Amino acid sequence: MLHLKKLEPFEGIDKRLIEEINRLGKIREYKKGSPAMDADDTIKHFYIVLEGRIKVYRYNPANNREQTLYLLGPRDMFDVLTVLDGKRHEVMTEALDDARVLELPIEKVREWIDRYPAFNRAFFPYMARQMRQVEELASDLSLYDTSTRLMKLLLKNIDLSSPAKHLGLLHNLPHEEIASMIGTVRHVVNRHLQQLKKEGILSIERKKLAVNNVKKMLEKVEDDY
């Protein structure tokens, strides 16, 4: 039995719900580089990431191309679409770090959405943000060049609470992983990053990226609209 006292991002949830989560929930662990939750898992279970990062992606074996749809980090949920429609979501996942997730019965999650307002208030705005993120990805892939797509991704992930403006879920990611998020390949990302570094907009040190000049990057993105 678990011993959670609270559960982010569900702030202020009922004590009775915490007790149910502790009784029914299980902790799953995934090693870095291993597959994480799959479509069969999410038919039966709902997941909340506690530690680490997990990428959700599609892969085409015919051309060996991969497209990352989004990254999951602490407080993120998976899979909100299956909760709503009960259908298999044909995506793949991979742990980018050693990761820990909370596994919950999906039928109970549907019940909690109806019974507990605090759970409902966190679930639906999160679902909307995720849908907007995928919609934005589709638009960016169609409308903008790779340089603009990269800058938009960096801007979206800036940790404004960090004095060095580190890049949240993107920290220490290999360039091929960043490339997969914007629909391109590693050497193209390398070229754009080096150009941003040359312009003084970005710092790059041992895969660690930090934005030095947010204003200038915003101006470059706006010039491409």
Side-chain angles (χ1 to χ4, degrees), residues 56-118:
V56 179
Y57 67 103
R58 299 292 296 268
Y59 173 70
N60 184 350
N63 57 18
N64 201 35
R65 293 188 63 180
E66 179 181 304
Q67 176 63 57
T68 297
L69 301 177
Y70 39 83
L71 296 184
L72 303 175
R75 299 166 54 99
D76 282 325
M77 313 175 210
F78 189 74
D79 183 356
V80 294
L81 290 180
T82 306
V83 168
L84 294 178
D85 65 15
K87 297 179 181 179
R88 287 173 59 89
H89 190 183
E90 298 296 345
V91 293
M92 304 175 74
T93 64
E94 179 185 337
L96 299 180
D97 313 298
D98 290 345
R100 294 174 70 244
V101 303
L102 173 63
E103 179 185 86
L104 298 166
I106 199 166
E107 290 302 329
K108 294 301 293 186
V109 170
R110 293 187 180 111
E111 179 185 318
W112 296 337
I113 290 171
D114 289 334
R115 283 176 55 198
Y116 295 104

Side-chain angles (χ1 to χ4, degrees), residues 4 21 46 87 98 113 134 165 183 187 191 196 220:
L4 299 173
I21 289 170
F46 181 73
K87 297 179 181 179
D98 290 345
I113 290 171
V134 175
K165 300 297 187 293
H187 74 269
R191 184 174 72 246
L196 291 171
K220 285 177 68 69

Side-chain angles (χ1 to χ4, degrees), residues 5-196:
K5 294 183 179 179
K6 63 178 183 177
L7 179 63
E8 295 180 341
F10 302 101
E11 302 291 346
I13 58 177
D14 193 286
K15 182 180 178 181
R16 291 170 300 171
L17 177 53
I18 284 289
E19 290 172 353
E20 282 195 72
I21 289 170
N22 281 327
R23 179 168 53 85
L24 299 171
K26 297 179 181 178
I27 299 296
R28 301 295 185 196
E29 297 184 352
Y30 304 102
K31 291 294 185 182
K32 180 179 179 179
S34 69
M37 311 80 77
D38 63 23
D40 289 334
D41 292 329
T42 57
I43 287 291
K44 300 176 181 177
H45 300 106
F46 181 73
Y47 298 87
I48 300 172
V49 181
L50 303 177
E51 296 177 10
R53 295 171 293 180
I54 296 171
K55 74 172 177 177
V56 179
Y57 67 103
R58 299 292 296 268
Y59 173 70
N60 184 350
N63 57 18
N64 201 35
R65 293 188 63 180
E66 179 181 304
Q67 176 63 57
T68 297
L69 301 177
Y70 39 83
L71 296 184
L72 303 175
R75 299 166 54 99
D76 282 325
M77 313 175 210
F78 189 74
D79 183 356
V80 294
L81 290 180
T82 306
V83 168
L84 294 178
D85 65 15
K87 297 179 181 179
R88 287 173 59 89
H89 190 183
E90 298 296 345
V91 293
M92 304 175 74
T93 64
E94 179 185 337
L96 299 180
D97 313 298
D98 290 345
R100 294 174 70 244
V101 303
L102 173 63
E103 179 185 86
L104 298 166
I106 199 166
E107 290 302 329
K108 294 301 293 186
V109 170
R110 293 187 180 111
E111 179 185 318
W112 296 337
I113 290 171
D114 289 334
R115 283 176 55 198
Y116 295 104
F119 198 94
N120 185 305
R121 284 195 300 269
F123 180 86
F124 283 103
Y126 178 84
M127 180 191 69
R129 288 195 302 273
Q130 201 171 72
M131 292 176 68
R132 285 182 184 277
Q133 182 174 334
V134 175
E135 179 184 9
E136 184 177 356
L137 172 63
S139 298
D140 287 353
L141 290 172
S142 300
L143 300 176
Y144 302 111
D145 60 24
T146 53
S147 175
T148 302
R149 297 203 300 265
L150 175 60
M151 288 188 289
K152 290 186 69 178
L153 177 67
L154 298 178
L155 287 167
K156 186 169 63 176
N157 283 275
I158 290 175
D159 181 1
L160 294 175
S161 67
S162 165
K165 300 297 187 293
H166 291 303
L167 290 165
L169 292 178
L170 301 184
H171 77 274
N172 290 343
L173 275 189
H175 292 175
E176 56 262 35
E177 292 290 356
I178 294 175
S180 178
M181 296 181 74
I182 60 170
T184 187
V185 292
R186 179 176 57 83
H187 74 269
V188 173
V189 166
N190 288 346
R191 184 174 72 246
H192 292 321
L193 290 175
Q194 291 302 319
Q195 180 60 36
L196 291 171

